[in-house]
Amino acid sequence: MTAGFDFDRLVDRRGSGSYKWDSASDLKIIPLWVADMDFTAAPAIIRALQKRVDHGVFGYVKVPEEYYRALTAWNIRHHNWTIDPDMVIYTSGVVPAVSAIIKALTRPGDGVIVNTPAYNCFFSSIRNNSCTIVENPLLRTDAGDSFSYSIDFESLEKACADPANKVFLLCNPHNPTGRIWSREELERIAVICHRHGVTVVSDEIHCELTLPGKEYTPYATVDSEAVVCCSPSKAFNIAGLQIANIIAPSQPVRDIIDRAINDNEVCDVNPFGVTALIAAYTEGEEWLDALRSYIAGNYRRLVDFFSTEMPQLKVCSLEATYLAWVDITPLGIDSVSLEKFALDTEKVWVNSGAMYGTEGYIRINMACPASRLLEGLRRLSRAVSNLGK
């Protein structure tokens, strides 16, 4: 129990239409892959949804003023970020938002810069709009038993200087490495991109999932011309309700994004997403604080487990998200093969780093009860021990 919330409870998600759990036919598999959590949503969200269900009519939604008040008040209170409601475009998710924004701000053949490793849907969003992926690999720094990443600003400057590159797709905090970019780093990005006329589009879906003592800086607070995508879906485990927001301060930019949102047919949202966002941002604070503490505990458990059971593998230092990024290069096996071997032999499912554009790593979802995480790690350890046998 954490602050009265039971994150240790094992919820059976099989048979619920869960992409994470029902994608595998083998009932013995523990899925530590796709990024949603195995915890029930905040009680305030469940109550609000139950009340909405009791109404019994679920027609097309007119998003109320209460929605914008909840969104803006939350960001002022938690992030010192003032959002003008007129800047907000709601949509069904951050991935559809990113895809529509790329469509709006580019032409086929234009370059979109991404820091790699990168969230896999960035690649598909760029390709689906007939644009070119321009990789700006992050710089790795090792420190004892761990490692971290920083932005290669020299490489970023060169990429932005190429007139073919129109957009820099930022992830803040970063998935899959778990870095929170500092204000100084974000300011440096803004200077470079402004100098070369590159628009920054910042995916900030993981912004609430900071570890205790770590602080997230909204990119919009250092760059008033940026386009930002945000959603309560990751932090409050409501991704299936499909709700997100695009914050675009410039009216001309907002108009062309709104046109692309309509062209892509992602301009409508469902009533449950609207209800859940309002409840999350007005009544979900205590639950979120407890969740962050629990995830921090799971991260410590994972780090301790690797240090004792798989000491040859380093875990990336985590500042945000519930996703562990692990270096598997000492094993002498590619990440796709390790993912398959662990799934086939020990029934534990992790993500291959190859899907994020960087070989030699795996990503592990820690947002589950500690007992489930530890059992999954034990299975992974056995798989690692049995490699080559």
Side-chain angles (χ1 to χ4, degrees):
M1 298 286 286
T2 303
F5 303 107
D6 190 3
F7 296 108
D8 287 319
R9 183 163 72 92
L10 294 169
V11 179
D12 185 1
R13 299 184 61 191
R14 288 191 176 91
S16 66
S18 164
Y19 185 73
K20 179 179 180 180
W21 282 85
D22 290 333
S23 291
S25 57
D26 190 331
L27 300 184
K28 295 180 180 179
I29 288 173
I30 294 180
L32 301 179
W33 62 302
V34 67
D36 73 8
M37 300 190 284
D38 287 343
F39 310 123
T40 55
I45 294 176
I46 295 172
R47 289 194 300 269
L49 291 173
Q50 287 172 335
K51 182 179 179 181
R52 185 66 186 84
V53 168
D54 288 343
H55 181 267
V57 180
F58 315 117
Y60 295 117
V61 176
K62 183 181 187 301
V63 175
E65 289 301 315
E66 185 183 5
Y67 177 96
Y68 299 99
R69 287 197 298 270
L71 171 67
T72 56
W74 176 273
N75 279 284
I76 290 172
R77 188 166 68 251
H78 288 271
H79 308 306
N80 198 29
W81 177 21
T82 300
I83 299 173
D84 183 340
D86 289 339
M87 298 176 180
V88 178
I89 302 171
Y90 57 78
T91 186
S92 57
V94 166
V95 172
V98 167
S99 184
I101 293 166
I102 292 172
K103 181 174 186 174
L105 300 183
T106 66
R107 294 178 181 275
D110 286 347
V112 178
I113 305 164
V114 292
N115 292 321
T116 49
Y119 174 46
N120 55 296
C121 287
F122 282 6
F123 300 123
S124 57
S125 291
I126 295 167
R127 292 191 192 100
N128 290 344
N129 284 285
S130 301
C131 289
T132 301
I133 298 166
V134 179
E135 295 191 28
N136 184 52
L138 296 174
L139 299 174
R140 173 172 160 164
T141 302
D142 286 76
D145 294 333
S146 188
F147 61 99
S148 187
Y149 290 91
S150 61
I151 294 170
D152 186 338
F153 287 105
E154 182 178 349
S155 173
L156 179 62
E157 182 89 48
K158 291 177 180 176
C160 289
D162 185 339
N165 300 333
K166 305 299 185 184
V167 168
F168 175 33
L169 186 48
L170 177 68
C171 195
N172 174 43
H174 189 261
N175 172 19
T177 69
R179 260 303 311 271
I180 301 175
W181 307 119
S182 68
R183 178 170 289 275
E184 292 73 23
E185 288 170 311
L186 297 178
E187 288 173 343
R188 194 168 176 186
I189 290 170
V191 168
I192 291 171
C193 290
H194 278 233
R195 181 157 52 233
H196 300 289
V198 172
T199 301
V200 177
V201 177
S202 187
D203 171 0
E204 308 200 347
I205 196 170
H206 291 278
C207 69
E208 312 299 348
L209 293 167
T210 55
L211 267 63
K214 304 295 182 181
E215 184 175 351
Y216 141 83
T217 299
Y219 182 74
T221 62
V222 305
D223 183 354
S224 62
E225 298 178 16
V227 179
V228 174
C229 303
C230 58
S231 171
S233 62
K234 292 298 181 189
F236 290 95
N237 204 28
I238 54 173
L241 300 183
Q242 297 187 319
I243 193 74
N245 295 289
I246 301 166
I247 317 300
S250 165
Q251 180 73 57
V253 170
R254 193 161 62 248
D255 287 346
I256 59 173
I257 292 174
D258 191 50
R259 179 69 265 159
I261 288 286
N262 281 269
D263 287 345
N264 285 8
E265 303 291 357
V266 288
C267 52
D268 292 321
V269 292
N270 76 66
F272 300 111
V274 173
T275 295
L277 180 144
I278 294 169
Y281 286 159
T282 56
E283 302 180 75
E285 187 170 347
E286 185 181 1
W287 181 89
L288 180 61
D289 287 344
L291 169 74
R292 291 166 62 224
S293 295
Y294 194 88
I295 289 171
N298 270 358
Y299 171 59
R300 290 191 294 270
R301 293 180 185 97
L302 180 141
V303 170
D304 289 345
F305 188 93
F306 271 91
S307 67
T308 57
E309 303 299 327
M310 293 179 278
Q312 72 274 38
L313 306 184
K314 288 186 176 183
V315 179
C316 186
S317 179
L318 190 73
E319 297 175 340
T321 81
Y322 48 71
L323 305 165
W325 185 243
V326 180
D327 180 357
I328 64 160
T329 53
L331 301 180
I333 184 174
D334 66 87
S335 59
V336 173
S337 297
L338 179 59
E339 175 185 341
K340 185 178 187 305
F341 185 77
L343 185 61
D344 291 344
T345 63
E346 294 295 339
K347 312 300 182 186
V348 59
W349 195 345
V350 298
N351 281 128
S352 157
M355 70 187 297
Y356 309 104
T358 304
E359 185 49 78
Y361 299 83
I362 56 172
R363 195 189 76 167
I364 301 173
N365 181 346
M366 300 178 288
C368 60
S371 60
R372 180 172 289 157
L373 174 64
L374 290 172
E375 174 57 24
L377 293 176
R378 283 190 286 268
R379 295 183 184 193
L380 180 62
S381 179
R382 289 197 297 268
V384 167
S385 297
N386 289 325
L387 285 172
K389 291 184 179 179

